[in-house]
């Protein structure tokens, strides 16, 4: 439990609902590890109360908050300033209250990328295949294209992939291709890709045990498979998509990495200090960090 006293600085999460969040564990463990007198609290904010909640958080002196579903886009009109990433992605996952201003950031894309760069993967000039064209895909495609990757985004609803690509091309120098999430298309592109990202919700909820990667297309063994789905402790329950990649001998990353790194980047914006990523990863997994970090 964090120590609460007259000097405690507040941060938190606004969403609706927020009962399932692991962010308080992750951030409060990080504050404790660094001896910072901060406390992270989950705050359920109904959509109709969003404007009042943002004004209230500012009035109460919150340092900042994370923002989750359903407020990531809706919160934008209540902010004074947006980072370049938040503007391009069209969504905010982190707010900083500073100097009377409300500044919106999006750390999802950068958090996604930092997990890859930590593994020695440099996106510049590499070919990336992103499956899905929802909110998470948008952050991922932006981050990859901004870092110089050649990105192809495939989606069940092809028109959504096309409009995502067209919108993001305005913000990034590299080309973004789009197409349908279809077996033939995937099989054609697969041999040349360096990274495959599952940014669909196939593999969770009603689709648990399913994969967006077709069973008849060989997974490229030299590519990295990155599934955004967070399914519990780090690497504990690989999704069907990651199991296909593992069976082909490919390297894999699960959604816990994006979750931890987007949180680490928010932590750094609020505190001005490097985030203790290994502590946050262990807190997310409900483990004690080992001597080697994670
Ligand atoms: P979203 O905006 O609702 O988008 C869902 C995507 O999944 C769409 O592209 C949708 O295609 C596709 N999809 C859904 N059902 C499908 C099916 N049966 N077959 C093929 N495609 C299907 O959701 P989101 O916010 O982008 O989240 C996507 C995933 O990323 C979720 O699993 C979420 O948990 C995960 N995520 C993880 C993190 C993290 O930190 N690890 C952060 C954000 C999101 P259509 O357009 O055709 O409907």
């Amino acid at each position: 439990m964090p120590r609460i006293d007259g000097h405690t600085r507040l941060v938190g999460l606004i969403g609706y609902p927020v009962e399932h969040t692991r962010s308080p564990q992750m951030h409060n463990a990080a504050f404790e590890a660094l001896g910072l007198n901060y406390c992270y609290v989950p705050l359920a904010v109904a959509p109709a109360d969003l404007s009042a909640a943002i004004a209230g958080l500012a009035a109460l002196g919150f340092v900042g908050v994370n923002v989750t579903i359903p407020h990531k886009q809706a919160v934008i009109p209540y902010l004074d300033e947006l980072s370049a990433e938040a503007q391009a992605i069209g969504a905010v996952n982190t707010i900083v209250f500073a100097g009377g201003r409300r500044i919106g950031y999006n750390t999802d894309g950068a958090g996604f990328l930092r997990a890859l760069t930590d593994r020695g993967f440099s996106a510049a000039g590499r070919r990336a295949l992103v499956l899905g064209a929802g909110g998470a895909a948008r952050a991922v495609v932006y981050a990859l294209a901004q870092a110089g990757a050649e990105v192809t985004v495939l989606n069940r609803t092809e028109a959504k992939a096309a409009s995502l690509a067209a919108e993001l091309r305005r913000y990034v120098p590299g080309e973004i291709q789009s197409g349908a999430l279809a077996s033939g298309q995937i099989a054609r592109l697969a041999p040349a890709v360096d990274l495959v990202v599952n940014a669909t919700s196939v593999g969770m909820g009603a689709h648990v045990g399913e994969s967006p990667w077709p069973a008849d297309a060989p997974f490229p063994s030299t590519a990295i498979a990155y599934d955004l789905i967070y399914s519990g402790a780090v690497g504990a329950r690989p999704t069907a998509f990651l199991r296909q990649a593992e069976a082909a001998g490919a390297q894999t990353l699960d959604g816990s990495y994006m979750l931890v790194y987007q949180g680490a980047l928010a932590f750094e914006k609020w505190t001005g200090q490097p985030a203790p990523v290994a502590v946050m990863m262990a807190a997310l997994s409900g483990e004690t960090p080992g001597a080697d970090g994670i």
Side-chain angles (χ1 to χ4, degrees):
M1 263 304 280
R3 179 176 58 102
I4 310 281
D5 62 20
H7 300 282
T8 303
R9 309 197 72 196
L10 289 171
V11 291
L13 168 74
I14 57 166
Y16 199 71
V18 292
E19 280 83 359
H20 301 294
T21 179
R22 305 289 297 269
S23 290
Q25 277 130 280
M26 205 165 73
H27 284 280
N28 288 324
F31 295 139
E32 202 173 325
L34 297 191
L36 296 173
N37 191 355
Y38 280 66
C39 180
Y40 186 108
V41 287
L43 301 161
V45 174
D49 296 327
L50 184 58
S51 162
I54 295 296
L57 291 167
L60 290 166
F62 269 66
V63 174
V65 284
N66 283 135
V67 183
T68 190
I69 291 166
H71 303 315
K72 284 182 156 189
Q73 283 105 32
V75 78
I76 290 175
Y78 308 114
L79 304 177
D80 299 306
E81 197 179 320
L82 288 184
S83 70
E85 288 90 347
Q87 193 145 17
I89 295 165
V92 163
N93 79 332
T94 302
I95 299 174
V96 174
F97 299 100
R101 294 180 67 75
R102 307 152 179 188
I103 309 162
Y105 297 90
N106 191 308
T107 66
D108 282 335
F112 161 85
L113 205 59
R114 194 157 132 187
L116 282 171
T117 48
D118 272 12
R119 289 226 171 171
F121 181 89
S122 165
R126 311 295 282 281
R127 292 201 176 99
L129 189 55
V130 177
L131 312 179
R138 218 179 150 88
V140 162
V141 171
Y142 172 79
L144 286 169
Q146 184 69 9
E150 292 173 33
V151 186
T152 302
V153 50
L154 303 180
N155 196 44
R156 175 178 64 177
T157 311
E158 189 177 355
K160 268 177 70 181
S163 62
L164 184 155
E167 284 162 31
L168 288 182
R169 271 185 214 122
R170 297 195 280 130
Y171 295 98
V172 292
E175 182 55 9
I176 304 169
Q177 306 289 341
S178 69
L181 182 60
S183 178
Q185 180 85 294
I186 290 178
R188 185 177 65 76
L189 295 168
V193 299
D194 302 301
L195 172 70
V196 184
V197 182
N198 177 24
T200 73
S201 43
V202 180
M204 62 179 283
H207 298 290
V208 82
E210 295 173 25
S211 168
W213 190 269
D216 56 356
F219 197 92
S221 60
T222 54
I224 296 182
Y226 195 155
D227 198 332
L228 303 195
I229 291 174
Y230 168 65
S231 55
V234 181
R237 287 191 297 274
T239 56
F241 170 72
L242 292 185
R243 289 200 306 272
Q244 280 170 304
E246 273 168 11
Q251 285 186 66
T252 60
L253 278 171
D254 70 26
S256 58
Y257 291 90
M258 178 168 168
L259 191 61
V260 166
Y261 282 102
Q262 62 75 31
L265 293 169
F267 179 99
E268 290 170 5
K269 292 194 187 304
W270 296 327
T271 65
Q273 301 214 22
V277 172
V279 169
M280 295 173 84
M281 188 72 87
L284 188 69
S285 306
E287 294 163 3
T288 308
D292 59 344
I294 295 171

